[in-house]
Amino acid sequence: MKYCSISEAAAAFKMSESMLRYYERQGLLPLIERDEAGRRIFSEDQMALLRTVNCLKNTNMQIKQIKQYIDWILEGDTTIERRLEMMKRHKQAVLDEIASMTESLQGIEDKITRYTTSMEEKQS
Amino acid sequence: MKYCSISEAAAAFKMSESMLRYYERQGLLPLIERDEAGRRIFSEDQMALLRTVNCLKNTNMQIKQIKQYIDWILEGDTTIERRLEMMKRHKQAVLDEIASMTESLQGIEDKITRYTTSMEEKQS
DNA sequence: ATACGACTTAAACCATGGTTTAAGTCAACA
DNA sequence: TGTTGACTTAAACCATGGTTTAAGTCGTAT
């Protein structure tokens, strides 16, 4: 069982150390162990949890909602149905957001086309 | 030439009226005309500009950067190259973000699979 | 021995992107 | 005529998601 320091965990997920401390404070990373000197040590389980938190954060889930999810994990198997429902809802929210961005992307591509044409005309 | 009131413009883009006033204050909607009573009236040109601002905002461009873009539009054709460059960069940023979200989505789908299996086992 | 780097804490601070409030103007309708 | 509803302004307020600061504790390399 290998343990990571906070700097290693931060590097692994391209987060700042203060972000990890902040997440712990917000209850997103419960049960993080400490070494004899009081320093955080991240077990493989904690790294797995951090990976999950990171997925949710990356897809714009709010801290409060991630905390709810973590709380349900801590509560045990009786909350699996609620967790499943949350993940299904979130999946849909992510798909909707991707669709919305993709649609707006078209507007941006239209600008690129117009400006490119305009530049070519200037050339000639 | 049809003009829209602020409430119509807000409804058209699913924004709040205060958001439109805020955007104008930030310089994202310059040159908005007023009627005799001092109320904002949105021309078709302004609606087109609002559509563009909305695309950029929807794809998470920051207000400051959108303002830069609008300022370049106001400056005239000499800024077309810069606008083109900005749109190209932004397009790439959007593609990157969509790719990142899509990757994280996989983690979410994995959870859904695990929880679904777990629920089925409980059933039996 | 000491100095350095990596860590700790709590609390203050910050940026971003709006929303809300209070006080006022105007047009139209009963 | 008066009151309702849609608008106006400037300024204050708010939530979110962190970052920064100050003061202190370790472990180790010189």
Side-chain angles (χ1 to χ4, degrees):
Chain A
M1 187 100 78
K2 208 204 147 209
Y3 283 92
C4 287
S5 69
I6 194 170
S7 57
E8 287 167 334
F13 291 99
K14 291 173 186 177
M15 295 179 170
S16 62
E17 298 179 15
S18 52
M19 218 163 142
L20 288 177
R21 294 191 192 102
Y22 172 70
Y23 282 6
E24 190 191 28
R25 248 182 294 147
Q26 299 306 310
L28 271 43
L29 301 172
L31 314 174
I32 292 184
E33 295 172 66
R34 308 297 170 115
D35 66 11
E36 324 74 43
R39 284 170 297 198
R40 287 166 185 81
I41 49 176
F42 292 75
S43 69
E44 283 178 18
D45 278 1
Q46 288 300 320
M47 292 299 273
L49 193 57
L50 185 46
R51 190 166 7 263
T52 299
V53 168
N54 197 232
C55 272
L56 298 177
K57 181 209 109 185
N58 256 319
T59 50
N60 303 322
M61 185 181 281
Q62 289 200 352
I63 300 263
K64 271 185 193 175
Q65 212 184 342
I66 301 178
K67 169 153 174 52
Q68 173 67 87
Y69 178 70
I70 299 295
D71 286 349
W72 279 338
I73 290 177
L74 295 177
E75 216 175 312
D77 285 357
T78 58
T79 63
I80 285 180
E81 191 170 0
R82 277 173 276 175
R83 284 185 252 163
L84 174 58
E85 268 318 298
M86 183 190 260
M87 289 302 109
K88 280 183 179 174
R89 270 183 211 287
H90 185 56
K91 175 184 171 180
Q92 193 53 54
V94 174
L95 289 174
D96 290 351
E97 194 176 341
I98 289 175
S100 162
M101 289 185 78
T102 302
E103 197 190 324
S104 289
L105 191 58
Q106 187 56 56
I108 291 159
E109 283 167 346
D110 291 351
K111 293 287 173 195
I112 292 176
T113 304
R114 289 210 318 99
Y115 289 147
T116 300
T117 306
S118 179
M119 291 296 297
E120 278 162 6
E121 278 166 12
K122 228 186 217 168
Q123 279 290 349
S124 65
Chain B
M1 186 102 75
K2 208 201 148 213
Y3 283 92
C4 288
S5 68
I6 195 170
S7 58
E8 288 166 333
F13 291 99
K14 292 175 185 175
M15 294 180 171
S16 61
E17 299 179 13
S18 51
M19 218 161 141
L20 288 176
R21 294 193 191 100
Y22 171 69
Y23 282 5
E24 190 191 28
R25 247 181 295 148
Q26 299 306 310
L28 271 43
L29 302 172
L31 313 173
I32 292 183
E33 295 172 67
R34 308 297 170 116
D35 66 9
E36 325 74 44
R39 284 169 298 196
R40 287 167 186 80
I41 50 176
F42 292 74
S43 69
E44 283 178 17
D45 278 1
Q46 288 300 321
M47 292 299 273
L49 193 57
L50 185 46
R51 190 165 8 261
T52 300
V53 168
N54 198 232
C55 272
L56 298 177
K57 180 209 109 187
N58 256 319
T59 50
N60 304 322
M61 187 182 279
Q62 290 200 349
I63 301 262
K64 271 185 194 175
Q65 212 185 342
I66 300 177
K67 170 153 173 49
Q68 172 68 88
Y69 178 70
I70 299 295
D71 286 348
W72 280 337
I73 289 178
L74 295 178
E75 215 175 312
D77 286 357
T78 57
T79 62
I80 286 181
E81 191 170 359
R82 276 173 276 176
R83 285 185 251 161
L84 175 57
E85 268 318 297
M86 183 191 262
M87 289 303 109
K88 281 183 178 174
R89 269 182 213 286
H90 185 57
K91 175 184 171 179
Q92 192 54 53
V94 174
L95 290 175
D96 290 352
E97 193 174 343
I98 290 176
S100 161
M101 290 186 77
T102 302
E103 197 190 324
S104 289
L105 190 58
Q106 188 55 58
I108 292 159
E109 283 168 346
D110 291 350
K111 293 287 172 195
I112 292 176
T113 304
R114 289 211 317 99
Y115 290 147
T116 300
T117 307
S118 178
M119 292 295 297
E120 279 162 5
E121 277 167 12
K122 226 185 216 168
Q123 279 290 349
S124 64

